[in-house]
Amino acid sequence: MVSTSSLSVIIIGCGIVGASTAYFLARAGVQVEILDAIEPAAQATGSADGAVSVASKRPGPVMNAALAGIALYRELAVQGLFEGAFKSRSTFVLASSPVEREVLEAHAAVLRSVGVRVEMLTSTDLRARFAPLSDAVIMGLEVFDEGHAIGYQIVHRLLSAAPVNVRRNCRVESFLRDGNGRVTGVVTNHGPMLADAVVVASGNGSADLLGIPDVLIARKGQLLVTERAPALNAAMPGAIMSGRYLISKGMQAGTALASDRGYGTVVDPLATGQFLIGGTREDSGEKATNDAEAVAEVLRRAVEMVPGLAGVRLLRAFAGIRTAVIDSKPLIGRVPDADNVYVATGFEGDGICLGPVTGKAISQLVLDRSVDLDLAPFSPARFAQLGVAA
Amino acid sequence: MFDRDVVVVGGGPAGIAAATALSQRGFDVELVDQRAQLGGAIYRQPIAGARPVKQSRFAARRWQHLHAAIQHAAVTYRFSSVFVGVDGHGNTLIEDRNQGRLVSVRARAVVIAVGAVEKVIPRPGWDLPGVVTAGGLQVMMKETGTAPQGRVLLAGNGPLLIAVAAQMAALGNAPVAIIESGNPMAINGNGLGLLPHAELLADALGYLSGIVRHRISWRRGTELIALDRAGSQLAAELRHADGRRETLLIDQVALHDGIRSNNFGLPADQAGTTTMPFITRAGDCREALGAIASQLDGMRAAADVAAYLSRKPNDAAASLDGIARQRAAQAVLATMFAPIAGPPRLTALPDETIVCRCERRRLQDLKLLLGGTGALSGREIKHNGRFTMGACQGRFCADNSARIACELNPGSPLVASDLTGSRWPVRPLPISALLGDEPAHHDQSARDQ
């Protein structure tokens, strides 16, 4: 085991992954500095839907990681770190058409097969449990033991709980290397900075540093927040997700229903009495802007499932740019051509769920300890061009 | 691909001046206002059947000229409609409350002339029922022609308090007193600076004579430091210049600490592109200098827009000279009315004072947030402290929160827009307004006149 007291680590990116990594490293006694081109939670983490969920996932390594991610949220909530910042609730996936019902039934079986607690609800069951739902909903799937966390709140908790220095407006331009090519730190717009190890967790900003512009995809999402509507909020026992959402994620091969804006409806009753409503999954649109066409479509779909939302006011619209990987799996692990550089990015829409568990895994890698999570499927080595020598 | 040359938001002096000038130059102009008629806050017209509040001779004449000019211009009106923002595709979004739906207009230019916002400094108890703003009270009187009932106290800082007091008195219910933190009557020659500004001077003397005639107590150098419930009334605690305390029992208090420009969530000025409109703010929402300057800045905005649309040289120079004169006059007024105890220090308020009324966030919450890791950005204060997150979207707390942050971390200055950002909807928008087949595109529902 490495002596941690003298170890210094630079983390590039102060989103949820960088902040989680910093938290676990700092708790182990490592000197940690986070460099962010803007400020904490300024990009995808600050504009995420906050789902801590497996409801829309297929079995596989991402599902396994997400289950571990949910378990870690629960653990950290009990320990106090995330107390009050993690809302435990079910997710209800809803079908409004025979096609969606088919997808839903198949999906329920799949979730059950990997041990996720689910229950199919007929429209009568739904009416009893979930009064605000529209009659158009013909079937529901309750996925238990899920939750919601607001990304920027989690980052704030992590940074407040550990001795971590955050440098804002600090943009990393390249790696600093010695005569043997070994990475000794980074070059920033404020000059060179030395460290024993470097963790790259800068989302779409990771592409240039690691030479993988063709591996990462910027995928925009638009989200909405309403004013407080306490009665309607209290009548919703959990978040809802349209069966169409599964389709927009390509769950049913060959379907033509997914639009190019990638609409997938999610309505999450927040702890404040407000609602979070999503969203889009857009390959075009590098800019984090909202447009009336998409916002109106998102709201129309939400009102189709929860008619009472028509009587509520929209308070905020925002957009974020997710970082996706071309093979739909995140990049987590050591960079192949450097023994002291690590990467953790490409979580697409799962960053809030996977951030803490990934941060813990990276900290274990850096400290040369056994890693809780199976990182093999996420190995950066699967992309030959990825490296610090770019 | 464009529906309109220009959308002008706001039917006060800046918006009317801009719309008139642009229409006279041959551009196709739509004017949007949230009320059912022109006027804005300063020239707010009485609702049907109400009797007009007496205005100064100069103000009445300015309104007559403005109104006559726009009547002769071919401007299209969309009343009872609220500007929602400019979206990422360059659409100007308007909530048309007559139709209950969101209207999307492709305009080549947008002039935002939505007026100033009233500054109100937090005080313990300022969130109680019975607390209003003096500017709000004034607009209500202009609309209804009646004064508020009961024992009303006016408190804060600035010339508007005297104007409101004189208007209340003329409508038959003079305020209990005016609590003014400055002392504009101090004999130090400051007021002489107003001599070159005949209209402002005449307005001021008119209101002052109203106060004298109705024997309204104008307590200069006095501060309202707290409000509390007292049965069905409010107890207003005052601190005089000599430190003496006094408590007044009242039914209603109208607070006012000056006016400021308004950029809460509004799009920033920007040069137009093939998809995005040219955007400029005009009048008090750009720089709060009063009605005369607003009208001139409306002309300035029209010149800027015309130069952009016709690719000709700009002719705003004359307006800019006039605006500079008004800026000088406002500086004189600010000096005259400077609080005698110095600029208010918000961090000296009791820790439990509410700063953000929507989210019930207190001064101590902000101190705690900023005491930890040091300077935070406006966005972090908003997200992690929930300041400016509420339904008012920062109108009542963004400026105060930014000022408190500056007092705590003078090295990292913040302004209100650092907290609010620039986004749409700039006001809460009924979801029902978005439920048509698609956002209603430009249509003939706006009235051509």
Side-chain angles (χ1 to χ4, degrees):
Chain A
M1 192 180 286
V2 185
S3 158
T4 59
S5 58
S6 60
L7 192 66
S8 68
V9 176
I10 281 176
I11 297 171
I12 307 172
C14 196
I16 193 165
V17 179
S20 299
T21 307
Y23 169 81
F24 287 106
L25 284 173
R27 294 235 321 173
V30 174
Q31 279 186 10
V32 186
E33 179 133 45
I34 310 185
L35 315 181
D36 197 284
I38 307 172
E39 62 188 31
Q43 298 285 353
T45 295
S47 45
D49 68 5
V52 180
S53 167
V54 296
S56 65
K57 292 194 169 33
R58 281 171 289 191
V62 176
M63 160 85 86
N64 296 339
L67 288 169
I70 298 175
L72 184 57
Y73 266 95
R74 283 191 194 292
E75 187 185 322
L76 294 176
V78 170
Q79 283 176 17
L81 180 66
F82 290 172
E83 191 190 348
F86 173 66
K87 183 188 176 191
S88 186
R89 51 138 183 82
S90 291
T91 304
F92 295 78
V93 191
L94 305 176
S96 302
S97 70
V99 176
E100 287 172 29
R101 182 164 63 192
E102 249 174 68
V103 173
L104 212 60
E105 282 168 342
H107 190 56
V110 159
L111 288 176
R112 267 198 204 100
S113 74
V114 292
V116 177
R117 202 176 134 221
V118 298
E119 188 182 341
M120 290 300 294
L121 301 166
T122 64
S123 61
T124 318
D125 300 336
L126 276 174
R127 242 32 96 223
R129 289 264 342 250
F130 219 131
L133 282 186
S134 148
D135 291 341
V137 178
I138 55 174
M139 177 173 276
L141 170 67
E142 179 166 7
V143 184
F144 295 89
D145 307 321
E146 304 219 305
H148 182 261
I150 297 174
Y152 53 75
Q153 275 182 7
I154 295 297
V155 167
H156 188 61
R157 291 281 178 104
L158 291 164
L159 296 179
S160 306
V164 174
N165 186 30
V166 181
R167 285 209 191 197
R168 293 167 168 76
N169 308 309
C170 184
R171 180 178 293 281
V172 174
E173 287 155 2
S174 60
F175 291 102
L176 195 63
R177 295 195 283 170
D178 66 13
N180 301 320
R182 186 181 157 78
V183 171
T184 56
V186 294
V187 180
T188 75
N189 56 341
H190 297 305
M193 298 176 63
L194 295 170
D196 297 318
V198 176
V199 178
V200 181
S202 47
N204 289 305
S206 313
D208 287 344
L209 269 179
L210 296 174
I212 46 169
D214 300 331
V215 170
L216 299 183
I217 304 163
R219 195 161 274 168
K220 170 166 138 176
Q222 302 192 41
L223 284 172
L224 312 172
V225 170
T226 70
E227 65 183 340
R228 285 186 167 92
L232 186 62
N233 184 292
M236 287 192 43
I240 59 174
M241 182 186 282
S242 158
R244 267 193 263 182
Y245 190 86
L246 302 180
I247 296 170
S248 88
K249 288 182 84 176
M251 249 196 216
Q252 198 203 33
T255 177
L257 290 181
S259 74
D260 61 338
R261 302 297 286 269
Y263 293 113
T265 308
V266 177
V267 180
D268 213 334
L270 301 178
T272 53
Q274 297 169 285
F275 289 94
L276 185 138
I277 303 175
T280 65
R281 184 179 294 266
E282 304 166 61
D283 278 347
S284 58
E286 305 276 307
K287 285 168 80 180
T289 55
N290 293 96
D291 60 278
E293 181 191 325
V295 168
E297 182 60 27
V298 166
L299 288 172
R300 264 194 297 277
R301 290 171 183 233
V303 170
E304 263 173 39
M305 295 200 295
V306 183
L309 285 172
V312 179
R313 292 184 305 168
L314 172 66
L315 192 57
R316 264 189 293 283
F318 54 98
I321 312 290
R322 311 170 179 98
T323 306
V325 180
I326 48 172
D327 65 0
S328 303
K329 282 183 298 197
L331 291 168
I332 311 173
R334 203 188 303 263
V335 171
D337 64 347
D339 64 1
N340 61 344
V341 178
Y342 307 81
V343 59
T345 191
F347 297 89
E348 194 165 359
D350 294 327
I352 305 307
C353 183
L354 297 179
V357 77
T358 299
K360 191 175 182 189
I362 292 285
S363 77
Q364 289 164 334
L365 271 185
V366 172
L367 296 170
D368 208 11
R369 294 176 181 170
S370 72
V371 179
D372 299 342
L373 203 61
D374 175 17
L375 295 180
F378 310 130
S379 169
R382 68 189 193 271
F383 297 106
Q385 68 271 44
L386 188 151
V388 297
Chain B
M1 71 177 284
F2 290 101
D3 304 321
R4 290 268 186 224
D5 292 327
V6 191
V7 168
V8 175
V9 184
I16 293 176
T20 305
L22 285 163
S23 177
Q24 283 168 352
R25 292 176 200 220
F27 296 110
D28 174 29
V29 181
E30 175 172 329
L31 189 149
V32 176
D33 196 276
Q34 59 181 344
R35 309 299 299 185
Q37 51 186 335
L38 295 172
I42 185 79
Y43 302 126
R44 181 65 58 92
Q45 299 303 300
I47 53 175
R51 106 187 116 123
V53 172
K54 196 170 177 301
Q55 277 182 313
S56 82
R57 190 160 47 90
F58 289 107
R61 200 158 64 197
R62 286 195 301 267
W63 169 246
Q64 278 165 12
H65 287 156
L66 266 175
H67 194 239
I70 199 166
Q71 293 303 310
H72 289 100
V75 172
T76 302
Y77 297 98
R78 192 187 291 276
F79 287 118
S80 305
S81 295
V82 176
F83 175 66
V84 171
V86 175
D87 82 356
H89 290 175
N91 298 302
T92 301
L93 306 177
I94 300 156
E95 181 201 351
D96 187 324
R97 290 182 174 167
N98 284 321
Q99 305 181 59
R101 63 174 187 155
L102 186 70
V103 175
S104 174
V105 180
R106 290 207 65 82
R108 297 165 73 198
V110 181
V111 177
I112 300 172
V114 294
V117 282
E118 209 170 357
K119 281 197 277 195
V120 180
I121 290 167
R123 297 158 172 92
W126 74 311
D127 52 318
L128 290 171
V131 182
V132 297
T133 70
L137 203 66
Q138 188 185 40
V139 166
M140 190 272 291
M141 287 192 291
K142 288 176 185 173
E143 241 178 43
T144 63
T146 57
Q149 300 303 299
R151 287 169 57 80
V152 181
L153 182 69
L154 303 178
N157 178 248
L160 181 109
L161 292 172
I162 328 168
V164 173
Q167 287 165 331
M168 283 180 66
L171 291 176
N173 186 26
V176 174
I178 306 168
I179 307 305
E180 166 59 57
S181 63
N183 186 6
M185 303 301 271
I187 303 172
N188 54 13
N190 281 337
L192 294 177
L194 277 188
L195 287 178
H197 303 283
E199 293 196 10
L200 286 181
L201 195 61
D203 283 359
L205 291 175
Y207 293 131
L208 279 176
S209 76
I211 289 184
V212 172
R213 201 163 57 244
H214 292 96
R215 298 185 182 170
I216 297 168
S217 165
W218 188 21
R219 306 200 191 168
R220 299 179 297 281
T222 304
E223 291 179 25
L224 170 65
I225 54 173
L227 291 157
D228 207 350
R229 284 179 205 276
S232 62
Q233 289 191 301
L234 287 169
E237 192 181 348
L238 312 180
R239 182 172 57 209
H240 295 277
D242 57 7
R244 194 165 44 88
R245 302 288 181 102
E246 183 186 357
T247 302
L248 288 179
L249 284 183
I250 51 173
D251 297 309
Q252 209 179 121
V253 60
L255 302 176
H256 174 85
D257 294 293
I259 58 171
R260 55 153 287 160
S261 58
N262 175 2
N263 57 359
F264 297 110
L266 296 171
D269 285 15
Q270 62 183 45
T273 67
T274 49
T275 53
M276 299 302 289
F278 176 96
I279 300 175
T280 180
R281 276 189 284 147
D284 274 358
C285 73
R286 169 189 289 277
E287 185 180 3
L289 297 176
I292 301 170
S294 285
Q295 190 172 333
L296 292 166
D297 200 39
M299 305 286 287
R300 187 277 313 160
D304 285 352
V305 168
Y308 167 73
L309 292 179
S310 58
R311 314 205 182 281
K312 284 183 185 158
N314 193 312
D315 57 1
S319 301
L320 293 175
D321 288 347
I323 293 168
R325 267 174 57 79
Q326 294 305 314
R327 193 177 289 121
Q330 291 299 320
V332 172
L333 280 174
T335 308
M336 286 172 67
F337 278 87
I340 62 159
R345 277 191 66 78
L346 303 189
T347 45
L349 288 164
D351 273 351
E352 64 277 10
T353 308
I354 297 274
V355 174
C356 162
R357 296 190 289 192
C358 302
E359 297 282 316
R360 310 288 302 167
R361 303 297 286 165
R362 295 160 191 275
L363 177 60
Q364 66 200 21
D365 299 321
L366 193 45
K367 283 184 174 174
L368 197 65
L369 183 68
L370 291 169
T373 49
L376 295 180
S377 72
R379 187 172 174 278
E380 289 174 284
I381 291 172
K382 174 180 179 169
H383 280 163
N384 298 315
R386 295 195 68 81
F387 294 90
T388 78
M389 285 281 258
C392 89
Q393 296 185 316
R395 265 174 195 79
F396 290 103
C397 67
D399 193 35
N400 290 325
S401 300
R403 286 174 62 178
I404 292 166
C406 290
E407 287 180 25
L408 293 171
N409 287 314
S412 308
L414 290 179
V415 295
S417 56
D418 292 328
L419 278 88
T420 60
S422 169
R423 51 172 167 55
W424 72 272
V426 300
R427 290 192 178 199
L429 174 66
I431 288 175
S432 56
L434 284 142
L435 298 180
D437 289 337
E438 56 185 67
H441 270 280
H442 167 70
D443 51 38
Q444 294 311 308
S445 60
R447 279 194 283 139
D448 291 296
Q449 291 193 349

